[in-house]
Amino acid sequence: MFKPYLAILTTIILLLSACQENNANKEGSLARVNDSYLFLESIASDNVGDTSWNKERINAWIIKQVWAQEAEKNQASENIDNLVLDYKQSLMIDAYQQKVIAEANVHITEEMVLNYYKINLERYTLDQDMFKLSYFIIDSLLDVDIVLNKLNNQEANDALDGYCLANPKNCLTAPIWVEKGVLESISIPQYLWNTSVKYRSFYRNDNTVGLFRIESKNKKGEPAPLDLIAADIYAILKFQIEKEIIDKHGEKLLLNAQNNNNLEIY
C-alpha cells in the first residue's frame, strides 16, 4: 500500500532536484536560450571587467544560439553530421599533409630560381618602365652636402643613420623596383627619372631635401629583372615541389592499401 506514495515521493524528489539544478544554472549563468546557458568563464578574458564588452559578447552568444537552435530544428541531422565529418576529415588531411611536407624539408635554392627565370623569361615581360630606386628625405637638421658626400663615397654616416632610426618612413636604404612616379611621398621631379651612379638631391616644397639614386632601369617590353619577381618564382617552385610530394605520398598510401587488401571497388 505504500508503493504509490513511494513513487509519488520519488517523483517529487526528482522534480525538486531538477529545479535546484536549474536554479543553480540560472544563478551562475549570464544568459540562457532554451536549455543552453552562458557562463562567465566561457567569455573570460583580460577585458572581463568591461561591462560593455561583456554585453557585446553576451548578445553575440544569444544571437548565435537562437540561430543555431532554430537551424537545428529545420535541418536534417544526418546532413549536418556528414558536413561535420567532411570538415573534420579535411582538417585532419590538411594537418597530415603539412606534416609530410615539413618532414620532406623543402629547400628552394637561388640556382633553382635562376633556372626557372631563364626558362620562363618570356612570361615576365614588363608592360611599363621600371626603376630601381633608393632614397632619403632629410630635414634642415642635417647638412645636405656632408650627407650626400658620405653616401656617394660609401662612408659611415652616423648622422643619417640616427635620423633614419627616428624617421624610418623617410628612408629607403634597400633599393626597390618602382614604376615612374609611383612614390608620391617623395615626388621626384619628372626630369630626374634617369639612372645615376651617385645619389642626387632636390629641394621639396615642405623645406626638406630628397636624396635619391636610380640604380637601373628596365624598359617596357624587356624582361622583368630577376630581383623584382624572385619572390613569385620562389612561391611557384615551392608550390610545385610540395604538390609533387603530396601526390607521391598519396600514391604510396593508395598502393599500401591495395597491397594490404584494405581497398576494394565494387
Side-chain angles (χ1 to χ4, degrees), residues 180-210:
K180 186 176 182 178
V182 74
L183 296 175
E184 295 297 332
S185 60
I186 186 170
S187 301
I188 299 174
Q190 292 292 319
Y191 68 91
L192 292 176
W193 280 89
N194 48 65
T195 58
S196 173
V197 175
K198 294 184 177 183
Y199 276 88
R200 292 172 291 169
S201 64
F202 67 95
Y203 288 86
R204 293 158 44 90
N205 294 332
D206 58 359
N207 296 321
T208 59
V209 179

Side-chain angles (χ1 to χ4, degrees), residues 6 16 45 54 68 85 92 107 131-132 157 173 201 214 220 235:
L6 182 60
L16 288 174
S45 77
N54 279 340
L85 177 61
M92 291 191 302
H107 181 58
F131 301 81
K132 194 171 187 179
N157 204 335
T173 56
S201 64
I214 298 175
K220 177 181 178 180

